[in-house]
Structures are given as structure tokens and as C-alpha cells.
């Protein structure tokens, strides 16, 4: 059986003031990285019902919302409540170099992973180098 008293509760209460509360969780942790022609953002959302996850993109702002609820029922007795509950929200400002029209999202093992392709206009490309030649007093560009 779990103890119902916690000698460190006052420390937890102070930490909640700075980092968030169960009613207003502080953060939705993420890793963001580029791999080849794609940008990835992975959000830790353990225990979240996939149906509660909402991802939207407006202009270049990606918003992720998810909700974690406590178990409810006639026979449920809450013995300890340390995990943050409620609605989690995180916004990312995406650069113009990402193709947000082709964004893909997947949820597996408590991690929401977004995969965003790098826009074609942002990929490195080879530029032809032209040379100049004098003709009738005017400089003309010719392809080398």
C-alpha cells in the first residue's frame, strides 16, 4: 500500500509555482531535429488518449494540444496523484523552409512524432556559372 503523506510536498508545491500545476501543466517535452530532407519534432505524451491529440498549422505556427485524464469510476480510489493531468499545449514557430502542407503525424509508445518535409525551394541546388564576353562594347553573359 502507498503512503498517503509526503514529507516533500512543500517542495513540490513550490516547484509547481515555477514549473506548472496539475491544472496547468508546465511543458510538453520535445526533441526536434533534421534528418536529410525532413524535420522531425517528437513530443512526450505518455498516457494520453490519441483521440485527444489535436495538431494544427496556421501560417507557420504549429500548435499541439493533448489531454491526459485521471481514471474515473465508482470503484476508483485515488491513492497518489503525482502525474500532471489536464490539457497540454505547445506551439512551434516553423520556418518558411518547411513544407507544412505535407506534414505527417504519428503516435506510438506515448510519443507524438511529426515529420515535415523540407521545402524544395530550401534545398541546396547547383547554380550554373556564366562568363562575360565583350561584344559591341556591351558585356554579355554566356553560359560556360
Amino acid at each position: 500500500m502507498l503512503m498517503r503523506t509526503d514529507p516533500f510536498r512543500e517542495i513540490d508545491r513550490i516547484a509547481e509555482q515555477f514549473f506548472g500545476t496539475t491544472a496547468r501543466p508546465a511543458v510538453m517535452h520535445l526533441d526536434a531535429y533534421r534528418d536529410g530532407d525532413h524535420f522531425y519534432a517528437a513530443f512526450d505524451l505518455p498516457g494520453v488518449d490519441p483521440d485527444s491529440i489535436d495538431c494544427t498549422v496556421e501560417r507557420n505556427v504549429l500548435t499541439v494540444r493533448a489531454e491526459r485524464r485521471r481514471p474515473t469510476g465508482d470503484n476508483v480510489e485515488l491513492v497518489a496523484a503525482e502525474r500532471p493531468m489536464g490539457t497540454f499545449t505547445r506551439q512551434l514557430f516553423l520556418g518558411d523552409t518547411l513544407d507544412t502542407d505535407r506534414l505527417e503525424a504519428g503516435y506510438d509508445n506515448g510519443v507524438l512524432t511529426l515529420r515535415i518535409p523540407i521545402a524544395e525551394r530550401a534545398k541546396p541546388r547547383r547554380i550554373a556559372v556564366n562568363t562575360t564576353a565583350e561584344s559591341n562594347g556591351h558585356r554579355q553573359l554566356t553560359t560556360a
Side-chain angles (χ1 to χ4, degrees), residues 36 40 43 101 120:
Y40 293 87
F43 299 86
D101 292 333
E120 287 299 320

Side-chain angles (χ1 to χ4, degrees), residues 58-78:
E58 184 175 343
R59 297 188 184 178
N60 284 359
V61 179
L62 168 72
T63 303
V64 177
R65 284 188 179 85
E67 184 176 5
R68 183 185 303 130
R69 298 183 193 127
R70 296 211 185 281
T72 58
D74 294 338
N75 297 325
V76 175
E77 177 186 351
L78 189 60

Side-chain angles (χ1 to χ4, degrees), residues 55-126:
C55 297
T56 59
V57 175
E58 184 175 343
R59 297 188 184 178
N60 284 359
V61 179
L62 168 72
T63 303
V64 177
R65 284 188 179 85
E67 184 176 5
R68 183 185 303 130
R69 298 183 193 127
R70 296 211 185 281
T72 58
D74 294 338
N75 297 325
V76 175
E77 177 186 351
L78 189 60
V79 177
E82 296 179 357
R83 294 175 36 202
M85 297 290 154
T87 302
F88 300 82
T89 303
R90 183 80 184 249
Q91 288 188 320
L92 295 178
F93 295 93
L94 305 175
D96 292 332
T97 60
L98 300 176
D99 186 354
T100 57
D101 292 333
R102 298 186 328 170
L103 187 147
E104 299 172 1
Y107 183 71
D108 187 40
N109 292 324
V111 178
L112 172 68
T113 303
L114 303 178
R115 180 177 181 244
I116 311 167
I118 305 297
E120 287 299 320
R121 68 182 178 278
K123 292 180 183 176
R125 61 192 179 280
R126 186 164 182 84

